[in-house]
Amino acid sequence: MRYRKLGSSELEVSEISLGSWLTYSGGIEADKTRACTEAAFDAGINFFDTANVYGQGAAETAWGDILSSRPRDSYVLATKVYFPMSEDPADQGLSPAQIAKQIDASLTRLKTDHVDLYQAHRFDPTVPVEDIVEAFQKVVQQGKARYIGFSEWSPEQIEAAIDIAGPDLFVSSQPQYSMLWQAPEAEVFGLCSANGISQIVWSPLAQGVLTGKYKPGQPVPEGSRFASAEMAVSKDLVYSDATLQAVQRLVPIAEEAGMSMPTLALAWVLRRGEVASAITGASRPEQVHANAAASGVELSGDLLAAVDQALGDVPVTEPTPAPGAQPGVKHR
């Protein structure tokens, strides 16, 4: 496993990280969650990404039980705040009160006194950006988080927050990014890089579509992510006949290069220096090890050209708002 510096922080994160979005929030059983987490440590993965909203705290609770048995300095822990945590309309967003409340709740579930990275899961245009920045600064000042990041903010929102916070508060951006979803290359990568902010990307395997296991015109395989109602909630982002056909054109390219489809897809994401880590999900330990094998794999120019040709015009390349994202910035 290779490691990369996370933005302007002192954190060194594994190129492949383990996420808990659809799996450890209730998609798979507790014993499998533990087995996958142990496999991650075995593979050299040190970066674990979760969020308060995953299973309404279930994913954080699961990892709190598992990770708390290990030395706190042996892993880099990230969580997030923004999405609704109950039916109370006020129990969401990035108000200072909500940030203060949710960081404490996350720390309790995670059984730790601090997270290494606390992220705004989306931008909240209903709250003055000055209030948002100051609330996150307070979390750092209190020692509850070492660094702050954000997920799926627009360039306008990123610039507004940096203008107030200065260059050192935000160290990471978490966009969707894969061979099939290349949108952040257009604007976000360059803006963040100029401000010392790394990318930690979600869905680098396009929710499993880039493994090649989903075939055009065929039902989804039993036991796969999209066979589960709980884990298929964002299927429409990446699943269509066109994307499935493009992936099948990639399969012989991977085979000729002597690598698996997941390795090709993850190495493709990591070819960009702006990316510090690719967040992968796994429901079995062998998937963790297979994903980790992509760290350090270099792709030749000829191979990258073949990938581009196979993908054609299928990938999303234009700036595209993420699910749950809202435009605009409010000031005091």
Side-chain angles (χ1 to χ4, degrees):
M1 180 61 62
R2 293 186 184 180
Y3 303 85
R4 298 186 183 185
K5 193 163 175 285
L6 185 64
S8 59
S9 79
E10 296 178 357
L11 301 173
E12 295 273 340
V13 296
S14 48
E15 289 186 337
I16 303 297
S17 42
L18 189 62
S20 60
W21 169 29
L22 298 173
T23 44
Y24 311 145
S25 59
I28 70 169
E29 299 86 356
D31 59 341
K32 289 184 179 178
T33 301
R34 182 175 295 276
C36 289
T37 307
E38 299 296 339
F41 280 102
D42 291 344
I45 291 172
N46 75 341
F47 185 33
F48 299 88
D49 179 80
T50 188
N52 62 347
V53 74
Y54 298 162
Q56 302 293 305
E60 288 181 330
T61 298
W63 265 351
D65 292 341
I66 296 166
L67 294 174
S68 60
S69 65
R70 291 182 174 266
R72 184 60 187 83
D73 62 359
S74 67
Y75 57 93
V76 176
L77 183 58
T79 193
K80 313 181 194 76
V81 57
Y82 172 79
F83 284 107
M85 287 299 288
S86 69
E87 294 182 4
D88 179 355
D91 198 15
Q92 61 184 305
L94 299 180
S95 70
Q98 182 70 353
I99 290 172
K101 172 180 152 185
Q102 292 302 327
I103 184 63
D104 286 346
S106 288
L107 293 178
T108 298
R109 288 188 290 261
L110 290 165
K111 296 185 178 179
T112 183
D113 62 358
H114 74 281
V115 290
D116 299 287
L117 182 66
Y118 199 41
Q119 302 160 94
H121 212 156
R122 295 293 184 269
F123 190 84
D124 188 345
T126 70
V127 177
V129 64
E130 293 87 353
D131 290 358
I132 295 171
V133 167
E134 288 170 8
F136 279 122
Q137 287 172 327
K138 187 174 181 181
V139 169
V140 174
Q141 290 161 2
Q142 292 173 330
K144 295 176 181 178
R146 293 178 65 189
Y147 299 101
I148 303 298
F150 52 81
S151 178
E152 300 291 5
W153 285 15
S154 71
E156 176 195 21
Q157 293 162 346
I158 295 169
E159 289 177 324
I162 290 173
D163 285 347
I164 295 157
D168 297 323
L169 181 65
F170 298 101
V171 302
S172 67
S173 159
Q174 186 173 143
Q176 179 181 192
Y177 183 57
S178 71
M179 286 178 170
L180 297 176
W181 195 276
Q182 303 177 21
E185 287 185 7
E187 297 176 343
V188 172
F189 276 22
L191 171 60
C192 288
S193 183
N195 287 280
I197 296 170
S198 287
Q199 308 298 317
I200 49 176
V201 303
W202 63 272
S203 207
L205 296 177
Q207 300 180 59
V209 171
L210 284 167
T211 64
K213 64 186 171 188
Y214 301 105
K215 305 293 196 298
Q218 296 183 20
V220 299
E222 284 188 29
S224 67
R225 173 175 291 187
F226 292 152
S228 161
E230 291 89 359
M231 294 195 284
V233 290
S234 294
K235 175 181 175 182
D236 292 347
L237 286 175
V238 289
Y239 192 93
S240 68
D241 283 344
T243 57
L244 297 185
Q245 289 163 6
V247 170
Q248 290 309 306
R249 294 194 293 270
L250 291 172
V251 171
I253 296 173
E255 289 175 348
E256 188 174 333
M259 62 183 73
S260 69
M261 277 293 295
T263 294
L264 174 62
L266 292 169
W268 185 92
V269 163
L270 292 169
R271 84 198 190 287
R272 297 288 300 236
E274 300 96 333
V275 175
S277 190
I279 303 169
T280 59
S283 55
R284 301 190 308 276
E286 53 267 33
Q287 291 175 328
V288 177
H289 286 286
N291 291 337
S295 178
V297 173
E298 304 282 344
L299 304 181
S300 69
D302 288 346
L303 183 56
L304 291 171
V307 166
D308 285 343
Q309 185 172 3
L311 290 171
D313 61 359
V314 168
V316 174
T317 57
E318 295 298 311
T320 306
Q326 303 179 69
V329 175
K330 181 178 181 179
H331 288 275
R332 284 178 187 158

